[in-house]
């Protein structure tokens, strides 16, 4: 409720994780909150497990960005089942999975609130320089033009 109120007041949110969609974006889940998932995170849940650990940019903010998140070999942790997501009306895909299913890996929305939702854990991006660039791009995306 507090997060919903924050976003209703025009807040900005960067959120990431491999099981957010599985937990709240799936109608069959005991924790389902499709209203929040669809109307605030601006995503729809496609399915579990992208079948890859690679991503690539799709929008102007992430156009030249690609990278890898950990499969357990980089010493961070194995991101077993990154969610496959789509953008709802008014939102856009920021990242897709490269290889595997090729589905959406991150959604962005800029409206009455702003959100960048990554369907894999941000902290699991293996290359520190790419991780930094992704964070800078996400902050730029979330920052309103003055």
């Amino acid at each position: 409720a507090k997060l919903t109120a924050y976003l209703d007041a025009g807040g900005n949110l960067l959120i990431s994780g491999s099981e957010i969609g599985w937990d709240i974006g799936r109608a069959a889940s005991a924790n389902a909150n499709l209203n929040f998932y669809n109307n605030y995170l601006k995503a729809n849940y496609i399915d579990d497990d992208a079948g890859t650990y690679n991503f690539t940019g799709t929008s102007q903010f992430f156009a030249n960005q690609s990278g890898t998140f950990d499969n357990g070999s980089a010493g961070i942790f194995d991101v077993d089942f990154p969610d496959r997501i789509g953008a709802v009306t008014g939102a856009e895909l920021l990242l897709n999975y490269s290889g595997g299913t090729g589905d959406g890996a991150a959604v962005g929305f800029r409206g009455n609130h702003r959100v960048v939702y990554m369907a894999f854990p941000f902290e699991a991006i293996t290359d520190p320089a790419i991780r930094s660039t992704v964070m800078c791009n996400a902050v730029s995306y979330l920052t309103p033009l003055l």
Side-chain angles (χ1 to χ4, degrees), residues 38-109:
N38 300 142
N39 296 317
Y40 289 90
L41 295 186
K42 297 296 187 174
N44 63 3
Y45 177 78
I46 296 173
D47 207 349
D48 204 24
D49 195 3
T52 185
Y53 293 89
N54 302 306
F55 62 89
T56 189
T58 62
S59 77
Q60 68 180 15
F61 286 91
F62 295 86
N64 297 315
Q65 192 62 64
S66 62
T68 301
F69 51 92
D70 197 10
N71 63 5
S73 65
I76 302 169
F77 58 88
D78 185 3
V79 181
D80 289 335
F81 301 105
D83 293 332
R84 298 161 41 204
I85 62 174
V88 300
T89 303
E92 63 181 314
L93 283 175
L94 301 177
L95 299 171
N96 279 334
Y97 293 108
S98 177
T101 65
D103 291 315
V107 168
F109 174 74

Side-chain angles (χ1 to χ4, degrees), residues 61 92 94 108-110 114-116 137-143:
F61 286 91
E92 63 181 314
L94 301 177
F109 174 74
R110 294 186 295 175
R114 289 176 178 232
V115 66
V116 171
N137 290 344
V139 169
S140 293
Y141 188 89
L142 293 170
T143 303

